[in-house]
Structure formats: structure tokens, C-alpha cells
């Protein structure tokens, strides 16, 4: 009997003396663990005679239950004390100033895109989009690039590996394939296609997006942004194209001083075709518009070729219109004076901090956009 009372007294003292949860765990293992003192006692019960077991059994079980309860109670006590200590030590001082926070900036391309969308929206243009990964039909064939025609080579196309169907997809070299998608889907709403809805004529849409060409120098990057414009109606002519682009340019640059010139050009999908340049000064490491003797080409355009209309299911004797493709990044570089287009996509946060825009700036009076 004394051995049991002594053991209980020792264990109870050890539990009370445990100063933290880890020390208490050591006591628990020494008593109730696999070869703990109480566990060893329980094991001896098998060797006792029935009489002895009747007598000692309840005593040993009682000891085990009281020690288990004592450990649980001490554990709750210790945990509460530990929590109290942490709460006292880790108090948050709400009067401290917050740590400095780095503000993100809006990339100039996205700023310029918003400005352009606002101006064209004001002129009544809707918005359409198409996929970056295109097929040969939409990027070239439907746009009147004959198969194997050298004009396909001019585009420095990034081709994807051939797929199981023997087809090679490509990264679109311009946003013009979306002209095809808009016109086709306008004809047949059931045609599978990427954009949500096409439009039956009259059509007036802009199509912003990324385009890709294997080309890189100060005024070319392998990926850049274009905005396609497409207007189809019954009596549209070249004069509408020129007016639209001149009005857009003046509004975009927020000045009438900007000088543009239209040069005859060739695109397989427009006839006649032109390119538009903006006069600028590129000497001295930055670009200034409205002065100097340099010209920067910012867009191609023209009257949509009758074959393209026919390829998209429109009757060229009934419908005609113009299209243009503007370089968004170039327009931004011109407006905000960035000398090298490659910096735009170098992902240098210092560059972005310098040239980027605040997401919270005051609305721009020219566009009504912030
Ligand atoms: N897709 C042409 C390019 O990328 C631009 C263009 C668009 C020309 C629409 C005419 C009409 O160069």
C-alpha cells in the first residue's frame, strides 16, 4: 500500500513542479508512457491472484485516473499561463506608423490603351478581341495573302510546332485576323470562334491586342500591341479613314500641332493602302512630337480589299469600308517621349516607376479618363 501512496505523492509533486508544457510532458511519459511507473504497475495485474487483483486493481486504476486528471489540469493551467505571457509580450502598438508600402504603377501601354479606347468609344466604336494563337487562314489566307506569297515572309512569323492534324498554328503577326472573325461571325452567329459576338454590317469596331514578330531594335520588339480599326458600311471611303485618324491623333496628343503624313503603301488586304507617320524629333535621347525632321510610322490602313469582304461572306458590291492597324506602344513612346521601345518590355521596375502612371491620378481632360 505504501508503495502506491508514495508513488502517488511523488507523481503529484512532479506534476505540480512542472514549470512548462514540455516539462509536464516528461512527467507524463515517466508515469503513463509505455514503460512509465504507473503503466508498469498496470502490467503486473495479470500476474496477481484473483483475490489480490480484486483488492489492488481498483487502487492501481484509481491512481492512474487521478494522475491522468492531475496532468490534464496542470496542462490547462500551463497553457493559459503561456498564452497570457505571449499576449503581454506581443502587444501590438497601434500608434506606430505603418511600414512603407511600395505602390504599383500602371504600365504606359495600358495607360495609352485606355486613352485610345476612350477616344474611339466617343466616336462610336465598339470593342472586339481575338486569340493570340491564330491559324494560317485568319492571319493570312482570308486576308488575301496568297499561299506561298512572299508577303507572308515579310511578317517574320513565329510558327508553332505542327499539331496532330498536320496544321501549324502561329502567333498572330497583326490584329487584322480579328477583322475576319468579326465579319464572319456577323454573317453566321453559329460559326465557332473565339470572340463572343460578331457584327453584321454596319460595323464599327476597334480590336486591341498583343501581336508577335521576330524582330528587335529600338523601334521594334518581338511582342508589341496593336489596335485594329474596322468600319464597314455602304458608302465609306478613304476620306473617312483620313478624318478618323487625324481626329484621333489630335485628340490623343492633346494638340493640333501634331503633323501627320499619309504615304501610299501596299497591304494584301486593303486597296488602296497607306501608312501614316507622325512628325517628331528623335535627336537627344528622347522623342518630341510636333517638331524636328524625323517621321515615325504609327499605323497602316486602307480600304478593305473586296476579296477580303468576299472571304468573310460580305458582298463587295453592297459593302465597303476601311481598316487600320495602330501601334499602341509606339503611340505611347511618342506621346510620353520614351526613346527605346525595348525598355517597355524589359520588366525593370525602375523604368516602370519612372514612366508608369498612377492608378489614382486625376481624370485626363482630353479623354475623361484617369
Ligand atoms: N495589319 C497591318 C500591319 O500589321 C496594318 C493594317 C491594318 C493595314 C489594317 C491595313 C489595314 O502592318
Amino acid at each position: 500500500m505504501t508503495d502506491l501512496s508514495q508513488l502517488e505523492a511523488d507523481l503529484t509533486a512532479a506534476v505540480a513542479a512542472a514549470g512548462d508544457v514540455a516539462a509536464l510532458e516528461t512527467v507524463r511519459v515517466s508515469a503513463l508512457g509505455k514503460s512509465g511507473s504507473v503503466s508498469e504497475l498496470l502490467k503486473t495485474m495479470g500476474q496477481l491472484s484473483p483475490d489480490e487483483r480484486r483488492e489492488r486493481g481498483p487502487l492501481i486504476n484509481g491512481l492512474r485516473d487521478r494522475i491522468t486528471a492531475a496532468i490534464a489540469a496542470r496542462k490547462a493551467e500551463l497553457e493559459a499561463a503561456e498564452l497570457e505571457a505571449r499576449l503581454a509580450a506581443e502587444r501590438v502598438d497601434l500608434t506606430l506608423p505603418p511600414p512603407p508600402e511600395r505602390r504599383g504603377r500602371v504600365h504606359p501601354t495600358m495607360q495609352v490603351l485606355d486613352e485610345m479606347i476612350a477616344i474611339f468609344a466617343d466616336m462610336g466604336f465598339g470593342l472586339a478581341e481575338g486569340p493570340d494563337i491564330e491559324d494560317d487562314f485568319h492571319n493570312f489566307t482570308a486576308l488575301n495573302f496568297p499561299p506561298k506569297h512572299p508577303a507572308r515572309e515579310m511578317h517574320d512569323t513565329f510558327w508553332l510546332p505542327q499539331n496532330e492534324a498536320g496544321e501549324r498554328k502561329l502567333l498572330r503577326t497583326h490584329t487584322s485576323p480579328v477583322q475576319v472573325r468579326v465579319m464572319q461571325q456577323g454573317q453566321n452567329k453559329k460559326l465557332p470562334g473565339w470572340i463572343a459576338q460578331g457584327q453584321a454590317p454596319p460595323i464599327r469596331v476597334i480590336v486591341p491586342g498583343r501581336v508577335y514578330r521576330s524582330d528587335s531594335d529600338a523601334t521594334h520588339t518581338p511582342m508589341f500591341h496593336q489596335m485594329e480599326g474596322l468600319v464597314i458600311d455602304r458608302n465609306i471611303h478613304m476620306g473617312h479613314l483620313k478624318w478618323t485618324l487625324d481626329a484621333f491623333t489630335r485628340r490623343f496628343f492633346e494638340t493640333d500641332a501634331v503633323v501627320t503624313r499619309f504615304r501610299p503603301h501596299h497591304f494584301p488586304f486593303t486597296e488602296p493602302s497607306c501608312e501614316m507617320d507622325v512628325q517628331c524629333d528623335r535627336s537627344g535621347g528622347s522623342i518630341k512630337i510636333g517638331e524636328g525632321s524625323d517621321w515615325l510610322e504609327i499605323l497602316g490602313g486602307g480600304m478593305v480589299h473586296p476579296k477580303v469582304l468576299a472571304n468573310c461572306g460580305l458582298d463587295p458590291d453592297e459593302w465597303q469600308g476601311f481598316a487600320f492597324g495602330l501601334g499602341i506602344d509606339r503611340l505611347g513612346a511618342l506621346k510620353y517621349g520614351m526613346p527605346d521601345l525595348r525598355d517597355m518590355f524589359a520588366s525593370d521596375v525602375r523604368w516602370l516607376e519612372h514612366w508608369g502612371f498612377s492608378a489614382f491620378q486625376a481624370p485626363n481632360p482630353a479623354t475623361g479618363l484617369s
Side-chain angles (χ1 to χ4, degrees), residues 173-174 176 179 213 226 228 267 269-270 300-302 323-325:
T173 57
H174 50 179
S176 301
Q179 284 186 36
R213 291 181 204 176
Q226 274 193 342
E228 194 81 5
F267 296 106
F269 39 95
T270 45
F324 58 83

Side-chain angles (χ1 to χ4, degrees), residues 133-270:
I133 296 176
E134 261 301 0
D135 51 38
D136 185 90
F137 175 77
H138 289 93
N139 198 80
F140 291 125
T141 308
L143 290 167
N144 197 35
F145 285 83
K148 305 229 159 63
H149 191 276
R152 292 180 181 228
E153 307 307 317
M154 271 165 42
H155 273 212
D156 300 314
T157 312
F158 287 113
W159 290 92
L160 272 64
Q162 199 165 45
N163 63 17
E164 312 82 63
E167 184 197 14
R168 290 192 78 182
K169 297 240 182 186
L170 52 92
L171 294 179
R172 65 177 176 194
T173 57
H174 50 179
T175 41
S176 301
V178 191
Q179 284 186 36
V180 177
R181 290 180 180 273
V182 170
M183 289 189 277
Q184 273 192 328
Q185 295 202 351
Q187 294 310 295
N188 180 359
K189 299 265 191 257
K190 285 191 211 82
L191 253 180
W194 196 82
I195 65 161
Q197 77 253 26
Q199 211 177 324
I203 296 171
R204 219 185 292 173
V205 288
I206 49 168
V207 184
R210 277 186 290 267
V211 300
Y212 308 82
R213 291 181 204 176
S214 177
D215 206 354
S216 178
D217 61 35
T219 53
H220 297 85
T221 52
M223 187 281 300
F224 59 104
H225 298 79
Q226 274 193 342
M227 180 177 281
E228 194 81 5
L230 176 68
V231 172
I232 303 287
D233 208 333
R234 290 177 206 275
N235 298 303
I236 298 294
H237 55 71
M238 204 69 184
H240 293 121
L241 169 66
K242 281 192 75 176
W243 181 88
T244 304
L245 293 170
D246 262 338
F248 163 78
T249 311
R250 279 198 301 276
R251 191 136 174 230
F252 177 77
F253 288 108
E254 299 169 42
T255 168
D256 287 342
V258 48
V259 183
T260 59
R261 76 174 180 195
F262 288 83
R263 282 178 290 104
H265 197 70
H266 170 77
F267 296 106
F269 39 95
T270 45

Side-chain angles (χ1 to χ4, degrees), residues 27-87:
V27 178
R28 189 193 65 79
V29 172
S30 77
L32 303 169
K34 230 193 205 155
S35 32
S37 46
V38 178
S39 310
E40 291 298 335
L41 275 175
L42 287 163
K43 282 182 209 159
T44 61
M45 299 239 285
Q47 294 135 31
L48 300 178
S49 67
D51 281 348
E52 281 174 324
R53 200 179 305 142
R54 206 170 302 120
E55 189 194 337
R56 259 177 94 77
L59 293 175
I60 296 173
N61 283 333
L63 168 64
R64 183 202 50 206
D65 294 347
R66 285 191 299 281
I67 293 301
T68 305
I71 289 174
R74 181 68 184 146
K75 191 169 181 206
E77 222 173 272
L78 287 170
E79 280 175 348
E82 273 173 26
L83 183 63
E84 278 305 318
R86 272 189 62 196
L87 284 175

